[in-house]
Amino acid sequence: TYNSRAQGWWENVRLLIWGPSGKLLVEDQELQDRIKEMLDAGIEVLACVGCAKSYGIVDQLTAIGVDVIPAGQPLTDMLKSGWKVLTY
């Protein structure tokens, strides 16, 4: 994700954190540091609010700088408007 933006491969890059990835993020300082690098590089970092609530991590994600949102509709809109999705 970071290199996609830093190398100019894509002008707009978003990272959507879904499911247990959010729980891992709030427990791992190294991952938090990487997210901060992404934010500093202009990458929009989002997390699904439903997932975050299920793990009780909304406040922790927000403190890292992640926008915690209802993600279903925005993801659908991105797909319909031609955004490319990379999953890992």
Side-chain angles (χ1 to χ4, degrees):
T1 303
Y2 177 81
N3 282 334
S4 293
R5 176 69 175 150
Q7 300 297 324
W9 300 332
W10 298 98
E11 183 177 338
N12 297 309
V13 179
R14 291 179 180 150
L15 174 66
L16 176 56
I17 301 165
W18 205 279
S21 299
K23 186 174 185 315
L24 177 63
L25 174 58
V26 300
E27 296 172 350
D28 187 309
Q29 185 60 52
E30 185 178 341
L31 289 177
Q32 292 174 30
D33 293 342
R34 294 291 301 184
I35 293 296
K36 290 175 186 172
E37 289 176 11
M38 290 181 198
L39 290 166
D40 290 343
I43 296 169
E44 187 176 1
V45 181
L46 310 168
C48 170
V49 70
C51 299
K53 283 182 179 180
S54 73
Y55 289 104
I57 58 171
V58 173
D59 292 338
Q60 293 98 319
L61 289 172
T62 302
I64 295 167
V66 175
D67 290 329
V68 182
I69 64 166
Q73 188 63 55
L75 177 58
T76 299
D77 293 343
M78 285 183 264
L79 294 172
K80 287 181 175 182
S81 68
W83 278 73
K84 307 295 184 221
V85 176
L86 301 173
T87 304
Y88 56 93

